[in-house]
Amino acid sequence: MDLLPSQDQLDLIAAASDFLESRLPIEGIRQRADDPSAVDPDAWREGAELGLLTLGLDEEYGGSGRLLDDEALLFATLAEHLAPGPYLASTLGARVAAQCGDLPLATAIGEGSTLVGLAELRGDGCIGPDSIKGTFDLIDHAGAAYLLVASRQGTALVRATQFPDIGDLPSADPGSRLATATVDAATVSHWLPAETDPLWLRGTVLAAAGLAGLANALTTMSTEHAKLRVQFGRPIGVHQAIKHACADMAVAADASRSQMLFAAVCVQSGREDAAFQAYAAKAVATKAAIGNGAATIQVHGGMGYTYEHNAHLYLKRAHLLAHLFGEPAEVLAELLDQGAPQ
Amino acid sequence: MDLLPSQDQLDLIAAASDFLESRLPIEGIRQRADDPSAVDPDAWREGAELGLLTLGLDEEYGGSGRLLDDEALLFATLAEHLAPGPYLASTLGARVAAQCGDLPLATAIGEGSTLVGLAELRGDGCIGPDSIKGTFDLIDHAGAAYLLVASRQGTALVRATQFPDIGDLPSADPGSRLATATVDAATVSHWLPAETDPLWLRGTVLAAAGLAGLANALTTMSTEHAKLRVQFGRPIGVHQAIKHACADMAVAADASRSQMLFAAVCVQSGREDAAFQAYAAKAVATKAAIGNGAATIQVHGGMGYTYEHNAHLYLKRAHLLAHLFGEPAEVLAELLDQGAPQ
Amino acid sequence: MDLDFTDEQVEFRDEVRTWLAENKPREQRPDDAAGIREYDLGWQRTQWDGGWAGIAWPTEYGGGGLSLTQQLIWYEEYAAQGLPGIDATFVGLNHAGPTLMTRASEEQRAFHLPRILRGEAVWCQGFSEPDAGSDLASLRTRAVIDGDELVINGQKIWTSFANIADYQELLVRTDATGSKHEGITWAICDMRLPGIDVRPITTIEGGAEFCEVFYDDVRIPLSSVVGTIGDGWSVAMSTLSFERGTAFTANQVRLAKIVEDLIDFARDHLGPDGRRPAIADDQIARRLAEVRAAVASLRAMTYVGICDAMRTDTPGPRGSMLKLVYADLCKEIAALGMDIVGADALRRTSRWEPNGWVGYYYYAFSQSIGGGTSEIQRNIIGERMLGLPR
Amino acid sequence: MDLDFTDEQVEFRDEVRTWLAENKPREQRPDDAAGIREYDLGWQRTQWDGGWAGIAWPTEYGGGGLSLTQQLIWYEEYAAQGLPGIDATFVGLNHAGPTLMTRASEEQRAFHLPRILRGEAVWCQGFSEPDAGSDLASLRTRAVIDGDELVINGQKIWTSFANIADYQELLVRTDATGSKHEGITWAICDMRLPGIDVRPITTIEGGAEFCEVFYDDVRIPLSSVVGTIGDGWSVAMSTLSFERGTAFTANQVRLAKIVEDLIDFARDHLGPDGRRPAIADDQIARRLAEVRAAVASLRAMTYVGICDAMRTDTPGPRGSMLKLVYADLCKEIAALGMDIVGADALRRTSRWEPNGWVGYYYYAFSQSIGGGTSEIQRNIIGERMLGLPR
């Protein structure tokens, strides 16, 4: 049993962090705020070259063949740096293409030349092996050739052209783009049933990993501020109101990180309680990321209330991730429906 | 408009406090813990002579003819001193008797020679002008000749002899006695319809007043402890974890006291939103009393976890009052059903 | 105890109600700085013309000289008719004006007070600095006396309406050698002086209510100092304690309206299960009921506070309780709004648009920060009200 | 990363499981002091006879010398089979024993360690005092050296099993002149010595797990001092850090079982509307789901902690995180239990009886107090883990 990152994994995180810091600094989100796409195409391709989209993809499809815990660590890192762009949808999209035997598409996605956005069904509708129907939120669809449409039964890739009358919406998260589209019967180009590969659970774990990464980055941000910000002649971190808030953030971040890694291993190894563990990871990490986001704004005082500060970008990303792969209330209902964990 | 106690009211509170401190010290609860009745009969009668049971009763029935805000202040004071015994049921019982024109009974209750306990319907059943049916929790029924059975439609007095097979239950609150009884069709001896006098709302306000009194006493207890208890060379109240907990208690206590006084005036004057205000008072005070009880135990550390300390007696009384005149969830549902307040 | 108004008070209320209904601005308040200035000053002029300007101001300064109960009635009616709260005339009327009355010279009062009342001047506040937030007295914006002028260099932050203001109540450090509360000076700063640079701050909700103000060798005549050089802290403290009055009533009335709006929204909007309306969800219903009850109790607390003020005439730390409860409640309501909104939380909205709950959620974070953080309020309650040691 | 056990570990687990199933005590644990002593010592003797005594103890002291993973397995299996947690042998095995190993003399170890392992002696702890709670080092129980004896006067509190213990790890003040951490001495106190008065403390749940111990001229031979006179604080600190190990796993397994019991209870018990089972209530269902998820994450945290300990071999402040989460969770579960119980909250129950949720609620308050309050844990996390200033 081992739940700590290996040296290999630490190296992976360090490499990804280096790349993100230099090529995708958070300031870029504000600079691109009025751009139709949140993605810097060059940085996207460079990230793809580094393997950011293909870590868990089998080597025969151009991936690194790593396990889900590696991917989870990567997604936590992406979130810690607020990396913009459809990493989640494209990573899973490449996997769908690969498992469907579509080597060219898997390769194109993995190389970063084909983008996959995310389509989340809102309200009634249906997602099936042949077609999908309903009103969808499209997340980072700009420039995407496909949209990933996931359900608990299976996951579809649908060509972007199948979504007519895409209406852009103002996105609460400045690092993402939002649109809406209603389709009557869009044709599914690739379908991966859950029995073959539980992509819904993988997506849940990776969303949880992102949320855990946000919770962690927020803890660090608050703690550093509490050490440096001086009021009344002392760093504000001497006061329990601040110190204990930071401690609670650290605990929430640790809980969400531990649970998402645990869940990653369970899903990867097909453990019987994998679904429960994945839903628990999402639930715990959602609470941690949103709670830590709110606490971070408060710890930063007026500064934390400004657009120029990063705190709100993390909080807004947290709210975005919270609504992917199941609404928060749905996730809780699902996890209560599961049998007792092993 | 005036929502502050008058000098008259302050005198009233002071007189009641004096009596309670000298004749019903809290230690008495522990001393009587194994007694079938929580009530010291002599102190009960003395309290009655002082007018504790008849403050709001019309003068023609031997009462003081005061308004509901006076009664509310009195019930807050009774709770602050954890006065044991069926003050609530007996006060309302005297009112039912009086409004039904039964001068002898109203007088007997008011003089403290006839006790009225409280019967709370648990689960299905019915409470009507002629008879009642169902399983009831009996609170402080020992020595009571009647039980007060209240519903939103009206309030009944039922002879204690109408409850067969009363089974004593261990009471969580050492200052009260609990029993259960199931009746098929007990005869109602006095019935006061809500249209004549909204006794359910009066009971709700007085329960809220009790809860507000508890919340207030707990604030004082914690604050005093925080000033006196020295650890690491300083009173623990210097630490924000303690200081802010006390501040939050003070705010909760103030909110519940303000709202229950507001509600008392509304019910007394028959304002249109009286029901809303009464339910809001109960909801706010329930949260305050239980929250302050929990916080007080924590502020007192190990000491607060002992039976010998008073903190738990307050918390347990809070849980008792929370379940009178509507379950907490019911009260919330009722208040949401009301129209917007005036 | 009673909640009744006297006959005269009822008459007064009806008068206020009628006048407000007939005279309140009907056009949508503009979004742009110049438009806001014109709108707010225009509305102030209307109030002046109607005899309603400065309801809390003593009559000797041209104000309404209304009693606390009358003020309460005014603010309740004001908010009940949907009039907005924080407008460009707020600082002049409720902050700078009262300070000038207490501490300014005859000339300063004669010049400024009528301009404030008549809607001829917008005032802003220049207290906070980037490094002086909760610890206001640690401010460092420097003023050097040069002849009959103060020469100002430094920076202020969180200044509402600096971009449209005529005057600023400005705290500067004229002496850095003593304790931090010494050596502060309170001056009237003409916002059109050369060397002043105003930059709006975008907030996390997306609005730009606040500004940063930079001072580069700004020269203020010494005649603009209120009180004496170095005595500014005591002048500023008199301002702060004046601020927490009956005007709070309006906040509470508005908050109650927000809760009722949210309840209505929850009836129309699909709940978490995607089938029933949100209000049919047990958890959402109970949380709505809880905030509804809490807002009711905030109103009762406000009334008790005003009754208290009528008797004692000192504001005291009750203002901190109201502010704390209000901030907590705003955030609780906002979080509940987000949960009712569901997946629509992904869409940016403004709190000014109908059902702009996402905007309100991000806006609400300001409530436990601005005007003294909730941590500071808890300190004040603990120390000044409960007597806990520092 | 993986959660897999090696083949040997799986074999070990099966062995533990089988042995526990075959040998665990079947009778109900008695309620009375003498009965508890006999029961717990008997179970310890059974473990000794089976070769399972002192699983974490090095083999040189007769222990099992198990690896951390094996300990984890042992405690998980132990708790999974419903064996109780806090028993009379706990202090000896997990607290006093380890301290003696590190700091006691050869004679002390030779005498005491086998008695602990074989289930021949019950130990209790004598650290806290009424005025020395969170601030343990301010203890004042006085010990004066008189010839070759320490003469003890004072009082200890929160001593579990003092009424059935043979020995106590006792902290006394032998010198009050220096700083508070100096002048403390750690001694083995024979609980049958004259002058010792043990009085049980009734808790708010109604149980009597704790005792006060009064010392009136109690004479302890100097040979019972562990370490040196005045060096007791460092001895005690080594004890405290040893305490937070794999044994925590058992708490977490038990807590998971409590949550599953509560879920089952919520299926059977009528909910707040009096019509549907409690679990059909949206709010109760979500709160159940939340605590279920939180308990799962506590388990993951525990695992991560143990993996960490396997690599670094130092316990560190992670123990504070686990304790804090555990305490919060116990109280959250307890409050939820009370809400599900509904009006039955009026009835006193014991947490030991089936669905004794009212008892559990009052019991749970102890969890954020005993063994270091949650406030202290937050300080430790803030200062030692995050490096925030004191």
Side-chain angles (χ1 to χ4, degrees), chain A residues 201-233:
Chain A
L201 294 185
R202 288 184 84 94
T204 300
V205 167
L206 294 181
L211 289 158
L214 298 173
N216 188 48
L218 287 158
T219 306
T220 307
M221 190 188 294
S222 290
T223 304
E224 288 313 306
H225 182 72
K227 289 177 191 172
L228 295 175
R229 171 79 172 171
V230 172
Q231 291 282 277
F232 303 104

Side-chain angles (χ1 to χ4, degrees), chain A residues 31-39 177:
Chain A
Q31 286 158 2
R32 298 186 69 86
D34 295 324
D35 199 290
S37 168
V39 182
R177 297 297 175 271

Side-chain angles (χ1 to χ4, degrees), chain A residues 1-5 69 223 227 238 240 243-244 248 251 254 258-259 262 284 332 335-336 338-340 342, chain D residues 1-4 260 285 289 292 296-297 299-301 303 307 311 318 321 325 375 378-379 383 386-387 389:
Chain A
M1 188 193 73
D2 192 8
L3 272 173
L4 292 182
D69 52 321
T223 304
K227 289 177 191 172
V238 299
Q240 286 182 328
K243 182 178 290 176
H244 290 188
D248 287 339
V251 169
D254 194 274
S258 301
Q259 178 60 23
F262 194 98
V284 169
L332 290 175
L335 88 80
L336 193 59
Q338 303 288 320
Q342 269 176 256
Chain D
M1 292 178 194
D2 64 82
L3 290 166
D4 305 333
E260 297 305 322
R292 206 186 200 197
S297 73
R299 179 193 197 178
M301 287 174 84
Y303 280 21
C307 295
R311 284 205 196 164
R318 277 191 70 89
M321 291 217 301
V325 172
E375 288 80 8
R378 288 191 173 92
N379 280 352
E383 291 159 14
L386 304 177

